[in-house]
Amino acid sequence: MIFQADLLQGQVALVTGGGTGIGAVISHELARHGAQVAIASRDPEHHRGIIGEIESLGQEALALSADVRRPDQVQTMVQQVLDKFGRLDILVNNAAGNFLCAAEQLSYNGWKAVVDIVLNGSFIVSQAVLPSMKTQKGGNIINIGATYAWLAAPYLAHSGAAKAGVLNLTRTLAVEWAGYGIRVNAVTPGPIEGTEGVSRLMGNPQVREATIRSIPLRRLGKKEEIAWAILYLLSPAAAYVTGHNLVVDGGMCLGSRQYGAEG
Ligand code: HXC
Ligand code: NAP
């Protein structure tokens, strides 16, 4: 245990897309550090495993069906969290959609599906949790980024543009909502082992190997490493940190091509 086991005792967290991949490990780690956790995504089948895991830690968990693109469903989702737990302290905007497609071939619906989930969804859910965080005089919002948000993102025009928007939204909300005691930060993963994102983008073993060679720490990340970055940002150690983007990518985005070095 890196952080104190009761770090988040008494706090309630909502994790969008919290039933699979990185989101499920974030949900698990928040619960393991004392939070009551609500998990929301479109398909309730995705929640079964993690809800059982959290309950086996002795923590309460709530599984909700909601599409982050639908303001009506998001309002209901937030109300369900408040009805069950009576408060809401932490939001992790983790839900995302992504697929490889050349911009030339990308249909408007394909562009819109990803931008709606990633950027519009993060805005809709953040705005929906605001009233309860304002009433409580505090809260924490964590947005999940992607390293290609500040580089060119070939075959990922939709996701690159949406994640870039999420990082700007992070900074803007951090300023606008600081007066309410709400901190807004982002955590940006590099490629993470065993996730849908990596299987969609790096299904080809040669692409995967080339990616690992481009990472100074020479490995993909672990899901837990994203959750631990979030725990830091939620902890009192980060009480003076807002609008920050914490990059967890083994140095990949530094672009440190090592001339003369092997591999
Ligand atoms: C081209 C595609 C496509 C593909 C969908 N579309 N997949 N176009 N290539 N592979 C197009 C469809 O044809 C349609 O356009 C439009 O996108 C909407 O498709 P739907 O299937 O109706 O959308 P929807 O059911 O809303 O699903 C959203 C989705 C889907 C994003 C398309 O893939 C999804 O639900 N993804 C969630 C899981 C996920 O993506 N996880 C990865 C996150 S990882 P037309 O014109 O035909 O109507 C990540 C970063 C990874 O974000 C970084 C790793 C390093
Ligand atoms: P994942 O397992 O596919 O997680 C995405 C989640 O979002 C799913 O649980 C999905 O659940 C949910 N979701 C999708 N559309 C939704 C919608 N409209 N409304 C509500 N929920 C929705 O992907 P992952 O690879 O773990 O990625 C998690 C996060 O990390 C994403 O923000 C991603 O961009 C980011 N990231 C990942 C990597 C990586 O290496 N994997 C790298 C950089 C950034 P439902 O299908 O049930 O809705």
Side-chain angles (χ1 to χ4, degrees):
M1 187 79 73
I2 295 169
F3 299 90
Q4 273 178 225
D6 63 352
L7 179 72
L8 303 175
Q9 202 65 47
Q11 296 195 42
V12 175
L14 168 62
V15 184
T16 66
T20 65
I22 296 169
V25 174
I26 294 169
S27 301
H28 181 102
E29 287 298 296
L30 296 183
R32 200 162 71 92
H33 289 81
Q36 291 167 307
V37 181
I39 291 157
S41 77
R42 296 163 300 175
D43 182 355
E45 282 301 311
H46 286 156
H47 304 149
R48 279 186 207 289
I50 185 62
I51 292 290
E53 266 181 45
I54 291 176
E55 286 172 349
S56 70
L57 294 170
Q59 289 293 116
E60 273 191 284
L62 177 64
L64 299 168
S65 288
D67 187 326
V68 296
R69 294 170 286 191
R70 297 278 307 273
D72 54 336
Q73 292 185 16
V74 167
Q75 285 298 336
T76 304
M77 165 184 86
V78 170
Q79 194 53 52
Q80 285 170 318
V81 177
L82 296 171
D83 289 347
K84 167 84 175 172
F85 296 123
R87 57 186 295 121
L88 214 177
D89 305 277
I90 297 162
L91 165 65
V92 184
N93 279 312
N94 166 80
N98 209 350
F99 54 82
L100 287 170
C101 186
E104 192 176 353
Q105 266 95 49
L106 184 59
S107 71
Y108 174 64
N109 279 345
W111 164 271
K112 190 169 169 356
V114 172
V115 173
D116 274 349
I117 299 169
V118 173
L119 178 57
N120 297 338
S122 298
F123 175 71
I124 291 166
V125 184
S126 298
Q127 210 182 40
V129 303
L130 178 63
S132 49
M133 288 188 179
K134 262 178 85 172
T135 304
Q136 290 164 210
K137 301 195 184 326
N140 264 294
I141 298 177
I142 306 286
N143 296 322
I144 305 297
T147 47
Y148 49 72
W150 54 90
L151 305 167
Y155 308 102
L156 294 169
H158 42 17
S159 177
K163 291 289 190 182
V166 165
L167 292 182
N168 191 271
L169 182 67
T170 302
R171 294 190 281 268
T172 299
L173 297 187
V175 173
E176 287 198 20
W177 296 354
Y180 303 134
I182 299 169
R183 293 189 295 113
V184 186
N185 288 291
V187 170
T188 289
I192 302 298
E193 192 78 75
T195 60
E196 181 65 25
V198 159
S199 71
R200 281 183 184 219
L201 272 48
M202 289 170 209
N204 177 339
Q206 285 171 327
V207 173
R208 184 189 153 93
E209 285 315 308
T211 302
I212 291 172
R213 279 199 303 278
S214 77
I215 299 173
L217 291 180
R218 290 291 190 273
R219 65 172 175 86
L220 300 186
K222 300 181 180 126
K223 294 170 207 157
E224 287 77 7
E225 290 169 330
I226 304 309
W228 297 335
I230 291 174
L231 286 175
Y232 160 69
L233 287 168
L234 297 177
S235 79
Y240 201 47
V241 180
T242 196
H244 184 65
N245 175 29
L246 179 45
V247 180
V248 184
D249 73 341
M252 184 182 178
C253 72
L254 300 175
S256 54
R257 173 82 178 86
Q258 294 173 48
Y259 296 102
E262 283 296 314

